[in-house]
Amino acid sequence: MSSDRTERILRVLYSALLYVLVPVTVYHLIWRGFRQAEYLHRWSERYAVYATPPLAGTLWVHAVSVGEVNAAAPLIDALLREHPHRRLLVTTITPTGSARVRALWGDRVEHVYLPYDLGGMVRRFLDHYRPQLGLIVETELWPNLLFACRDHGVPVYVVNARLSARSLRGYRLLRPLVGRALRTLRGVAAQSADDGRRFVHLGARADQVSVTGNLKFEMFVDPAWAEFADDFRQRVGARPVWIAASTHPEEEAVVVALHARLRARWPDLLLLWAPRHPERFRAAVQASIDAGFATATRTLTRWPDAGDAVFVIDTLGELMRYYGCAQVAFVGGSLQDIGGHNLLEPAATGTAIVTGPHLHNFADIARQLGRAGAVRVEQDAATVGNALEMLLDDAAARTTMTAAARTLVEDGRGALRRTLELVADDLAALDAPPAPRR
């Protein structure tokens, strides 16, 4: 059987399954909407039905949610700066990702949700926005989308590409199709050599894959965050402060128990608590109140009062500056089997880092921080508590950790330059004048 015929059969089977699941997408949006109202809006974008006029000549970046948007921010800023005459389209899948795009760039970029991976929908998306170059961030491997980009003549790269061993195993049923889709790419800019090898194992050609490093090292550290932290400390005084960041539902009871344990030693200890998802803000507040802690929230008061034991950060896009207000950070998604969250953010702000063992989404960063002595990776809630207690008690240990972390972040820069170099020829081709007619 020819390769083209095999591809067609695989695509037909994959698309047929997705069409069967279309009613499930409606149920999913409604179910998520009960928890986060934004999921009940803008459905037309998810099915590639647009009321706006078509665009031409866009540069397109796809970043699924908040973490990917933050990772792509240096790249998007560079594209806006170096190609100001072109419209930049940024797509996401989640409302929190959408909100982050608007917070960072407002009307400087176009933004819609990426449609579901059905042939007709992705073709309508491409016909409407007519991208001339696509940059997909991290691990969004949608076969019909990649094949449609090839058929529309859109060069596509996966940038800041990561693929954990677990994700690779998860693709095993779709591997024949995904492998063919990967070979339509212009290139894969992998975060690490391990990520690059896994992309090749999944089906990419070795000559498609380059190791460019992790764009998260390129994060912008706003000097205003340090000023905010100084102001915060002046207002709360000499109280010790720790932050529980990007926590998930099964970690919430752990956070409450850890805070109770730590306050037994430091009665004036303040917890800054930033749940990962907006639908968990209220649950965190309630859990804190139920535990008997005086609780304030960011939306009601900019600063915690002297009597507050917990301050819930129930806003988006402010985590980085609150990291700098704490002596120690617990980064969530790591006691629950989520895969961890960005450890470089507290590293860049000078906050000592404690995390749980589930770090498969950030394995390379965790290894680098671990080798530098810049993170404490603990195995369970009890040992996380031990590490928090030790670091709150030992300023010298915190200083050693944070100095090592900041050095690592500074030394890790360069991924942005290498990524731009990788796509430079395609960017240059967009700006080249048309060839004269003979």
Side-chain angles (χ1 to χ4, degrees):
M1 187 181 297
S2 70
S3 177
D4 288 346
R5 180 173 172 80
T6 300
E7 178 186 308
R8 285 196 299 272
I9 292 173
L10 291 171
R11 290 178 66 180
V12 166
L13 293 173
Y14 170 73
S15 298
L17 175 62
L18 291 187
Y19 274 112
V20 170
L21 294 175
V22 165
V24 177
T25 67
V26 176
Y27 170 79
H28 173 75
L29 291 172
I30 294 172
W31 177 74
R32 293 299 300 266
F34 284 122
R35 304 168 64 193
Q36 190 176 351
E38 288 83 356
Y39 275 98
L40 298 176
H41 305 295
R42 298 167 57 190
W43 283 17
S44 61
E45 296 173 16
R46 297 184 183 276
Y47 298 97
V49 177
Y50 307 107
T52 56
L55 293 178
T58 58
L59 299 179
W60 166 44
V61 178
H62 176 61
V64 60
S65 192
V66 174
E68 291 80 7
V69 172
N70 287 338
L75 177 61
I76 292 171
D77 286 338
L79 293 173
L80 287 169
R81 183 172 58 252
E82 297 176 14
H83 300 273
H85 58 293
R86 291 197 175 274
R87 292 302 295 172
L88 185 63
L89 171 68
V90 182
T91 56
T92 66
I93 287 177
T94 68
T96 51
S98 174
R100 188 63 178 148
V101 169
R102 286 297 176 221
L104 288 173
W105 300 290
D107 293 334
R108 297 173 64 202
V109 303
E110 303 289 334
H111 168 68
V112 291
Y113 291 130
L114 189 73
Y116 294 112
D117 195 40
L118 286 163
M121 295 180 192
V122 296
R123 285 193 296 272
R124 288 200 301 273
F125 166 75
L126 294 172
D127 288 340
H128 189 85
Y129 287 101
R130 288 178 266 183
Q132 293 184 302
L133 175 65
L135 304 175
I136 296 174
V137 180
E138 297 201 356
T139 322
E140 282 287 280
L141 306 178
W142 296 108
N144 280 333
L145 177 65
L146 297 182
F147 287 125
C149 286
R150 178 199 62 189
D151 297 343
H152 280 68
V154 181
V156 175
Y157 294 80
V158 179
V159 299
N160 211 44
R162 65 178 174 89
L163 187 65
S164 68
R166 176 179 295 192
S167 296
L168 178 62
R169 290 192 298 271
Y171 278 112
R172 61 186 179 275
L173 293 179
L174 290 175
R175 184 176 168 185
L177 180 63
V178 173
R180 284 176 166 78
L182 282 174
R183 290 191 286 276
T184 70
L185 294 170
R186 188 64 59 93
V188 176
Q191 292 184 15
S192 70
D194 286 343
D195 291 305
R197 283 190 289 270
R198 284 190 281 266
F199 270 96
V200 172
H201 188 67
L202 186 58
R205 299 190 313 274
D207 65 333
Q208 289 177 290
V209 178
S210 304
V211 178
T212 54
N214 195 327
L215 286 172
K216 288 185 170 71
F217 282 100
E218 309 287 338
M219 73 186 76
F220 172 66
V221 179
D222 192 333
W225 295 338
E227 297 174 10
F228 177 86
D230 289 342
D231 198 6
F232 183 93
R233 292 190 191 101
Q234 289 176 14
R235 289 173 181 271
V236 303
R239 301 176 63 184
V241 181
W242 73 291
I243 183 169
S246 299
T247 58
H248 287 256
E250 292 178 17
E251 295 169 325
E252 291 165 5
V254 172
V255 170
V256 170
L258 286 173
H259 193 48
R261 168 185 167 178
L262 295 170
R263 275 178 67 90
R265 180 167 178 184
W266 293 280
D268 61 344
L269 179 68
L270 175 65
L271 165 63
L272 307 178
W273 191 354
R276 179 67 178 178
H277 297 114
E279 61 263 31
R280 302 307 303 176
F281 292 161
R282 185 177 299 177
V285 171
Q286 192 59 53
S288 177
I289 292 172
D290 290 346
F293 297 130
T295 304
T297 67
R298 173 66 179 87
T299 56
L300 294 178
T301 173
R302 182 175 174 83
W303 312 102
D305 291 333
D308 290 330
V310 178
F311 186 73
V312 176
I313 304 165
D314 55 347
T315 53
L316 297 174
E318 296 193 295
L319 180 57
M320 283 287 284
R321 66 176 181 175
Y322 278 104
Y323 268 132
C325 300
Q327 285 87 46
V328 186
F330 164 68
V331 181
S334 58
L335 285 175
Q336 187 174 342
D337 190 10
I338 299 295
H341 291 296
N342 191 354
L343 300 174
L344 293 177
E345 291 178 346
T349 58
T351 310
I353 310 164
V354 179
T355 182
H358 300 290
L359 298 170
H360 51 266
N361 289 333
F362 293 87
D364 185 59
I365 288 174
R367 278 195 298 269
Q368 292 183 58
L369 288 166
R371 286 195 296 265
V375 66
R376 289 286 301 267
V377 179
E378 305 298 338
Q379 296 306 305
D380 52 35
T383 54
V384 164
N386 294 342
L388 291 170
E389 188 169 353
M390 184 278 289
L391 289 167
L392 284 169
D393 192 45
D394 191 340
R398 295 199 305 270
T399 299
T400 300
M401 286 182 69
T402 57
R406 280 177 157 159
T407 298
L408 183 69
V409 171
E410 192 60 36
D411 291 347
R413 295 183 186 277
L416 176 61
R417 172 183 55 79
R418 290 186 286 270
T419 301
L420 290 172
E421 289 173 351
L422 182 67
V423 304
D425 288 346
D426 283 298
L427 285 170
L430 300 183
D431 294 328
R437 294 183 178 180
R438 294 179 178 270

